[in-house]
Amino acid sequence: MRFCFRRFTVAVTAFLLLPAVLLPHAAAHAGEACDKLYVAIDDKAGNEGTGDEWSTTANFTVTAGGCAQTDVTVDYRTVDGTAKAPGDYTPTSGKLTWRAGTAVAQEIHVPIVRDAAIEWKETFSVKLASGSSGVVITKAEAVATIQDDDDPQHPPVVSTGGTISWVPDDPIREIPVVLSHVANVPVTVTYRTVNGTARAGEDFVGVANGHLTIPAGALTAPAVVLLAPNAVPKPGEYFFVELTSTSYGVFDNTSTKVTFAGQG
């Protein structure tokens, strides 16, 4: 059994170095009266990985500048994006407190769930909301990006291409869609037909949003196109089958030209 952890590389930025647009009052000078506390939350990105050395927590830094005359609070909560709680991370909420006259950076810790699945990069957010009148939130939302590296191989290249012939004696034509190497998860590919000299409805049954799935561990599956009822395509007429999306991997050749041949 292989356990995978999701790692987040945390870059803590001192509030004194943040751009003025985020923290317009970086700190209260000695003897300066406190007015408002300005806070902002940083985005995070990290990789999934294997082994006990990987972190299982996303740490969001909330920077602060200026200061308030009284104790102030900021509420926070996680929000699903393409990453979903509780499957990808643990939903987290709470409250941050700054004592009067202080402006120290604080952290929000969000546990990331162990996951051996191979996935595209996923995101979720942490949102801040002011709980006190003495706080100005200059950046209220941080996005966490989980980049997958569970697959021991590079994602496969998904392709079709070239020219194939179709003898109309056969009412079905299968167009091969091929992976460069096997994947550990099923790969679902969508495809469509595009008219050439052969026309959808006259010569073949048009496909606007077809689906095929290459099983985990397999290399190929067909895109299927049907001959139109009572069709007699002329030899040399052609159309195209185009790949439009894939659930995993990257595209190379995405179009195959299908040419009708003479009947046998």
Side-chain angles (χ1 to χ4, degrees):
M1 178 178 295
R2 181 167 67 93
F3 290 100
C4 294
F5 296 78
R6 301 183 177 187
R7 182 179 70 177
F8 282 76
T9 302
V10 180
V12 178
T13 304
F15 71 85
L16 290 176
L17 299 181
L18 284 180
V21 67
L22 291 182
L23 296 178
H25 302 283
H29 297 290
E32 181 181 329
C34 291
D35 179 20
K36 298 284 187 181
L37 182 74
Y38 297 85
V39 300
I41 186 168
D42 296 340
D43 295 331
K44 293 298 163 198
N47 296 322
E48 292 182 347
T50 59
D52 292 339
E53 73 276 17
W54 300 109
S55 171
T56 57
T57 303
N59 301 312
F60 295 83
T61 301
V62 180
T63 53
C67 62
Q69 296 178 358
T70 60
D71 293 356
V72 294
T73 61
V74 170
D75 297 321
Y76 64 86
R77 62 184 177 90
T78 52
V79 179
D80 282 352
T82 52
K84 308 294 183 184
D88 297 308
Y89 69 95
T90 300
T92 304
S93 62
K95 189 184 300 289
L96 302 176
T97 300
W98 282 266
R99 302 300 299 269
T102 65
V104 295
Q106 299 195 44
E107 285 194 341
I108 298 170
H109 306 287
V110 180
I112 304 302
V113 177
R114 292 181 177 183
D115 187 355
I118 300 172
E119 305 163 299
W120 287 110
K121 65 181 181 182
E122 298 175 309
T123 62
F124 68 94
S125 300
V126 175
K127 290 188 176 181
L128 305 180
S130 178
S132 301
S133 60
V135 177
V136 176
I137 300 175
T138 59
K139 186 174 183 294
E141 182 175 5
V143 177
T145 302
I146 306 170
Q147 299 178 11
D148 184 76
D149 63 0
D150 285 323
D151 194 345
Q153 303 168 331
H154 294 295
V157 176
V158 184
S159 63
T160 184
T163 300
I164 63 174
S165 62
W166 186 355
V167 178
D169 291 345
D170 189 345
I172 299 175
R173 188 61 170 106
E174 295 184 343
I175 295 88
V177 177
V178 181
L179 302 182
S180 59
H181 56 264
V182 298
N184 293 338
V185 294
V187 178
T188 298
V189 179
T190 61
Y191 64 94
R192 66 184 178 187
T193 55
V194 177
N195 288 342
T197 54
R199 313 292 293 180
E202 299 176 8
D203 302 303
F204 62 94
V205 177
V207 179
N209 190 34
H211 293 76
L212 65 93
T213 298
I214 302 173
L219 282 173
T220 185
V224 177
V225 181
L226 304 179
L227 195 68
N230 303 315
V232 185
K234 296 178 181 179
E237 290 186 326
Y238 62 89
F239 66 96
F240 300 92
V241 174
E242 293 184 349
L243 309 182
T244 54
S245 69
T246 179
S247 63
Y248 183 60
V250 294
F251 279 141
D252 185 11
N253 296 320
T254 59
S255 181
T256 292
K257 183 178 181 180
V258 181
T259 302
F260 285 106
Q263 293 184 339

